Amino acid sequence: MASARITGIGFHVPPRTVTNHDLEPLMDTSDAWIVERTGIRERHFVEPGVGTTDLAVTAAERALKDAGRSPQDVDFIVFATTTPDLMFPGCGVLLQQRLGLSAIGALDVRNACSGFIYALGVADAFGRVGRYRCVLVVGAEVQSTGLNLTTAGRDMAVLFGDGAGAAVVEPGADGEGILAWTLHGDGQYAEDLWAEAPSSRVMGRLTHEMLDAGRQYPAMNGRSVFKHATTRFPEVIHEVLVRAGLSLDQVKL
């Protein structure tokens, strides 16, 4: 079975920088409080009218240039995002159109924080079976337009910003390429970090009552998320090292 390797990478963030001090007048928080708990000092927000695909285009173009490829070399797109420009179609086909491509496959992945890893796993699998030779993998989010920038939404609002990253995945020679990956999910904790609305369970997808209650904003049980992140992340790191046949002291980055 062939191997797949990353041949180019690129990223893009919007130029507008929002510091912790910029958030202080909007909510009960401080630069010291945010830095102590998250390490974050600033984030990037889009200007009005800029969407997730807009950020992805630049990241994708930079990744293709880094790989020495043109958009016409791409034969499949995997696009990871939880903040699509539209309810449907997905961002993958919007990016396809923006890059001047037609007829190639495009797949959206909605796995939130782990979305890019899921997308990379899909690209690696496609490459290993020889189905596609040049897969463009993108992870992009515009979170700022959906944040509650008040004290009520502080737990989420201080964490998230906007940006995009991309990788070009192509066949690799023997012994080089993506060594291993492992994917997990646990739906019993879905409501610990979620955006409840819009919802297909509701006629019209969104009601005035839902808006008034702020149910369209992402919400998090911070204590639960922190507990599971600090437990599961080390577990999955060790798991993927075992799959790759490596030890921690061999990791350089």
Side-chain angles (χ1 to χ4, degrees):
M1 185 175 289
S3 64
R5 66 189 181 104
I6 296 172
T7 58
I9 57 173
F11 81 95
H12 176 61
V13 292
R16 178 188 171 199
T17 300
V18 178
T19 68
N20 294 342
H21 295 295
D22 293 328
L23 297 179
E24 289 174 344
L26 305 177
M27 61 191 73
D28 182 15
T29 193
S30 68
D31 175 67
W33 188 91
I34 297 171
V35 171
E36 178 184 352
R37 287 160 177 79
T38 70
I40 298 169
R41 298 184 184 276
E42 63 182 30
R43 71 285 293 148
H44 292 260
F45 281 7
V46 296
E47 297 294 343
V50 176
T52 299
T53 303
D54 295 316
L55 302 183
V57 169
T58 303
E61 290 174 340
R62 289 174 175 171
L64 288 166
K65 181 178 179 181
D66 189 48
R69 298 294 184 186
S70 71
Q72 285 66 40
D73 293 315
V74 176
D75 50 14
F76 201 88
I77 294 172
V78 187
F79 198 127
T81 186
T82 56
T83 56
D85 298 51
L86 311 168
M87 181 69 76
F88 66 87
C91 286
V93 294
L94 301 181
L95 178 61
Q96 173 203 57
Q97 187 269 334
R98 293 282 296 275
L99 293 176
L101 303 175
S102 62
I104 69 167
L107 168 70
D108 275 36
V109 172
R110 292 192 59 192
N111 283 77
C113 298
S114 55
F116 188 85
I117 301 299
Y118 272 79
L120 191 62
V122 171
D124 181 48
F126 278 150
R128 286 179 183 273
V129 300
R131 184 63 183 86
Y132 299 107
R133 294 195 59 82
C134 184
V135 180
L136 177 62
V137 180
V138 178
E141 302 285 350
V142 171
Q143 296 283 357
S144 63
T145 57
L147 296 174
N148 181 1
L149 296 172
T150 70
T151 299
R154 175 185 61 185
D155 289 352
M156 294 289 288
V158 302
L159 295 175
F160 292 101
D162 309 329
V168 178
V169 178
E170 301 183 79
D174 289 342
E176 68 175 15
I178 298 170
L179 302 180
W181 41 267
T182 185
L183 307 172
H184 295 279
D186 198 337
Q188 67 177 308
Y189 303 109
E191 295 183 14
D192 283 347
L193 180 56
W194 72 334
E196 184 184 2
S199 170
S200 62
R201 295 181 292 187
V202 178
M203 289 301 297
R205 303 289 172 89
L206 191 62
T207 66
H208 289 292
E209 290 77 17
M210 294 170 81
L211 287 170
D212 291 342
R215 288 159 65 185
Q216 75 277 17
Y217 293 120
M220 175 175 64
N221 179 342
R223 190 178 299 275
S224 174
V225 171
F226 179 82
K227 182 182 102 172
H228 286 288
T230 54
T231 302
R232 301 306 177 200
F233 200 32
E235 288 177 356
V236 79
I237 289 170
H238 285 288
E239 180 182 346
V240 81
L241 286 171
V242 169
R243 286 175 178 262
L246 297 171
S247 61
L248 274 174
D249 58 9
Q250 293 175 283
V251 177
K252 294 183 172 61
L253 179 66

